[in-house]
Amino acid sequence: MSWAWCGTCHIQILKGHIYKIMDPDERHTHSKIQDTSENSGLACQIPVNAELNNLVFKIMERT
């Protein structure tokens, strides 16, 4: 995937894990967002598949 430019879909994973390595575009955008952690990412970059079963996350507010 790619794009990952705006960061408006920043999420914090509360339960579960997504087994995906951030591509360079996502990593760059992620580095510009405040309050990121190892458990955060961009929802637009998450493939929709069975790995999401029971995943719990919240959409972070933009600051």
Side-chain angles (χ1 to χ4, degrees):
M1 270 181 244
S2 199
W3 300 97
W5 293 341
C6 67
T8 58
C9 64
H10 178 218
I11 62 168
Q12 183 79 34
I13 300 170
L14 304 175
K15 178 183 171 192
H17 185 76
I18 297 173
Y19 300 97
K20 178 191 162 302
I21 297 172
M22 283 189 195
D23 68 23
D25 289 335
E26 182 179 7
R27 188 172 309 287
H28 175 75
T29 301
H30 195 260
S31 73
K32 305 288 183 197
I33 300 171
Q34 293 181 356
D35 300 323
T36 61
S37 73
E38 64 182 39
N39 293 329
S40 64
L42 302 177
C44 69
Q45 300 300 296
I46 300 172
V48 177
N49 58 36
E51 289 182 31
L52 299 181
N53 192 33
N54 296 321
L55 185 75
V56 177
F57 64 90
K58 68 177 179 178
I59 299 171
M60 304 298 288
E61 291 185 40
R62 281 191 78 144
T63 55

